[in-house]
Amino acid sequence: MVKEQLREVQKNIEQACIRAGRKPEEVTLIAVSKTKPVPMLEEAYEGGARDFGENKVQEIVAKKPQLPEDIRWHMIGHLQRNKVHQVVGKAVLIHSVDSLRLAEQIETEAAKKDTDVDILLEVNVAREESKYGFFLEEVEDAIMTIKDFPHVHIKGLMTIAPFVENPEENREVFKKLYEFAVDIGKKNIDNVTMAVLSMGMTGDYEVAIEEGATMVRVGTGIFGAR
Ligand SMILES: *Cc1c(COP(=O)(O)O)cnc(C)c1O
């Protein structure tokens, strides 16, 4: 079941890439396995998934030792500062950096462990009250501070688009984030790249790919409803 659905999502990604004139290798599928039991993750692994996304630190901590070591774990959920020490060194990328204070905490923990941490800044493009993340106009100031952190490296941006019936409604959101990332990228800021655009979920990942996503985070479409 999981394997078939994973295959379906992979196929849809390839087709979206073809439509957009992009190479499928440019897009990484993150299998969002939050709340799902280890055997389902094993099935996705057998189907070829190597990037898994979790929104709780405890779930990464619990699942990681039970699964193959070549899995790349992505922290995609709101991260509390007091949990940062548990995820540094475990997650390959923290997508959900939504405040300067959180970035500072990550720097502190990374320095303590003498390691480097790759992050994305989460952007609340549609300015939804219920969502975390920087507003677009706040992102550049945040970047100009975080760029000087020696152990933290900004690799791009992430957004969670609004929940909509028709994914076309989110096209503008994705377009806006893409254009913003291009503008920042042109500034060639030290210690900052805009190589990663993490956007698109089960309902809208194909539109996100057409608008430039390099990582899509798909849960329900692979593992079923939560
Ligand atoms: C749960 C979650 C997803 C996946 O959502 P689906 O609609 O199930 O694909 C993606 N991104 C984040 C940040 C999530 O919390």
Side-chain angles (χ1 to χ4, degrees):
M1 188 67 173
V2 168
K3 246 187 238 174
E4 286 75 22
Q5 295 191 136
L6 175 66
R7 185 65 212 122
E8 191 65 31
V9 171
Q10 288 164 338
K11 220 170 55 195
N12 292 340
I13 290 173
E14 278 165 33
Q15 279 162 1
C17 284
I18 290 166
R19 281 199 299 280
R22 303 182 59 197
K23 297 195 194 79
E25 311 89 79
E26 289 173 31
V27 179
T28 301
L29 170 60
I30 299 174
V32 177
S33 46
K34 62 189 188 199
T35 77
K36 298 299 179 184
V38 166
M40 287 182 88
L41 278 70
E42 284 169 340
E43 203 182 330
Y45 182 88
E46 282 166 25
R50 291 296 178 273
D51 292 88
F52 287 78
E54 293 285 348
N55 69 337
K56 292 207 172 86
V57 171
Q58 306 89 283
E59 273 194 83
I60 295 183
V61 170
K63 288 171 178 172
K64 191 178 189 297
Q66 303 182 59
L67 283 147
E69 280 189 9
D70 61 342
I71 288 179
R72 293 176 290 271
W73 294 92
H74 296 256
M75 178 60 197
I76 63 172
H78 177 63
L79 178 56
Q80 287 169 323
R81 284 157 62 243
N82 63 4
K83 303 248 170 78
V84 166
H85 68 280
Q86 295 181 65
V87 80
V88 165
K90 292 201 177 78
V92 65
L93 183 65
I94 301 175
H95 294 227
S96 42
V97 176
D98 52 16
S99 74
L100 220 42
R101 290 176 77 212
L102 174 59
E104 282 164 1
Q105 188 66 35
I106 295 169
E107 170 58 33
T108 301
E109 290 300 333
K112 233 188 256 178
K113 293 196 166 93
D114 192 22
T115 190
D116 289 286
V117 180
D118 289 344
I119 66 163
L120 306 178
L121 298 186
E122 180 171 352
V123 186
N124 185 357
V125 179
R127 314 181 76 86
E128 291 179 284
E129 263 182 48
S130 58
K131 293 231 167 89
Y132 292 103
F134 296 94
F135 290 140
L136 264 176
E137 71 271 18
E138 299 171 332
V139 175
E140 193 167 350
D141 279 352
I143 289 174
M144 294 318 275
T145 301
I146 298 168
K147 73 175 174 48
D148 294 326
F149 293 6
H151 302 85
V152 172
H153 312 295
I154 297 176
K155 297 297 177 187
L157 305 173
M158 178 273 234
T159 196
I160 304 172
F163 182 77
V164 291
E165 286 291 317
N166 178 357
E168 284 299 328
E169 292 174 52
N170 280 335
R171 189 177 291 278
E172 282 308 310
V173 168
F174 299 138
K175 205 177 278 213
K176 236 184 192 169
L177 194 66
Y178 174 82
E179 284 167 2
F180 181 81
V182 169
D183 287 347
I184 295 284
K186 281 184 189 149
K187 297 181 198 258
N188 284 314
I189 304 163
D190 238 34
N191 190 29
V192 176
T193 82
M194 288 287 124
V196 178
L197 266 190
S198 170
M199 56 187 198
M201 310 182 4
T202 295
D204 54 20
Y205 64 92
E206 292 164 277
V207 173
I209 289 168
E210 289 168 12
E211 297 304 331
T214 70
M215 285 187 181
V216 292
R217 312 177 305 268
V218 179
T220 311
I222 296 171
F223 297 105
R226 289 178 295 271

